[in-house]
Amino acid sequence: EVQLVESGGGLVQPGGSLRLSCAASGFTVSSNYMSWVRQAPGKGLEWVSVIYSGGSTYYADSVKGRFTISRHNSKNTLYLQMNSLRAEDTAVYYCAREPLGGYYYMDVWGKGTTVTVSS
Amino acid sequence: SYELTQPLSVSVALGQTARITCGGNNIGSKNVHWYQQKPGQAPVLVIYRDSNRPSGIPERFSGSNSGNTATLTISRAQAGDEADYYCQVWDSSCHWVFGGGTKLTVL
């Protein structure tokens, strides 16, 4: 069964750091485009970052320079390193898989992990 | 940047047809995808590439895309269809773009 399980969320002070993990099973993260998408409380979905199968990475302007996406192939795990966190980064963070073929949509989502930035 | 516009809410009577729109500049030239999100749950893909249904999604869900508007149509609406629905496209300037979401209420 294809599955994504996020972890690493929690409460952090403004300016702090957090690393999110997304463990994949049933497929290989390095073969697919993998994204992080977040949802602030009561708000809509916001794309955060992607890592392509070839290793290229892209970020939303709102997190560029502060967040870093990466993967560990042998652990089949996706990461999101979040630095210089702000109150507006408070959200549920989902990892999501894009199917092979390059059509730029997400067919498998994790259940999400909650990040709260507050003093 | 590319923007997608959805109505905040749509209501439909039980058993009737709901239509949720997604507006964008020449959106008909893009692939549009739709997600359903129920409270406290992760999004679920219900339509990809304008009009294709993933396995497990009822035939009652369909999509179309032309001009400046894409539409998600839910036929014979059921209470279990109550959810937030998001459209999404990919744009070269801002990558993955989501609409603001539409809350569907089944009366």
Side-chain angles (χ1 to χ4, degrees):
Chain A
E1 180 191 7
V2 174
Q3 193 173 12
L4 296 168
V5 179
E6 302 95 335
S7 60
L11 174 63
V12 61
Q13 292 187 341
S17 298
L18 212 55
R19 189 178 81 156
L20 306 183
S21 300
C22 171
S25 56
F27 75 101
T28 304
V29 292
S30 59
S31 297
N32 295 69
Y33 296 179
M34 296 293 298
S35 280
W36 288 96
V37 176
R38 68 184 180 184
Q39 186 171 35
K43 303 297 184 181
L45 301 173
E46 179 189 17
W47 172 76
V48 172
S49 180
V50 67
I51 183 166
Y52 285 179
S53 50
S56 298
T57 59
Y58 297 91
Y59 301 90
D61 288 343
S62 57
V63 306
K64 199 173 297 182
R66 300 187 299 124
F67 289 12
T68 303
I69 190 172
S70 64
R71 67 188 182 214
H72 194 299
N73 292 346
S74 63
K75 293 184 178 180
N76 210 28
T77 299
L78 178 74
Y79 301 101
L80 186 68
Q81 177 66 45
M82 304 186 295
N83 299 330
S84 303
L85 283 162
R86 307 167 180 167
E88 53 265 36
D89 296 319
T90 294
V92 176
Y93 284 73
Y94 299 100
C95 67
R97 183 191 82 164
E98 303 213 3
L100 300 176
Y103 288 106
Y104 303 108
Y105 64 92
M106 294 90 165
D107 68 339
V108 179
W109 296 66
K111 295 186 183 303
T113 187
T114 301
V115 173
T116 303
V117 183
S118 175
S119 55
Chain B
S1 64
Y2 192 83
E3 294 185 1
L4 296 173
T5 302
Q6 296 182 239
L8 284 176
S9 62
V10 167
S11 297
V12 61
L14 185 68
Q16 297 305 302
T17 298
R19 293 179 179 84
I20 299 172
T21 58
C22 176
N25 184 32
N26 197 26
I27 195 173
S29 66
K30 299 180 180 298
N31 288 307
V32 179
H33 320 291
W34 292 91
Y35 304 89
Q36 175 194 69
Q37 186 181 34
K38 296 182 179 180
Q41 298 184 19
V44 172
L45 179 71
V46 293
I47 292 289
Y48 65 96
R49 291 168 56 196
D50 296 343
S51 59
N52 296 276
R53 278 178 292 103
S55 60
I57 300 301
E59 292 183 7
R60 301 185 296 103
F61 287 80
S62 62
S64 62
N65 184 21
S66 179
N68 293 317
T69 304
T71 303
L72 173 68
T73 301
I74 306 172
S75 304
R76 302 182 299 282
Q78 301 178 358
D81 298 333
E82 280 205 342
D84 293 328
Y85 290 86
Y86 294 89
C87 58
Q88 176 251 312
V89 301
W90 186 88
D91 179 79
S92 60
S93 65
C94 42
H95 303 285
W96 286 256
V97 182
F98 289 94
T102 298
K103 181 178 179 61
L104 177 68
T105 300
V106 179
L107 304 173

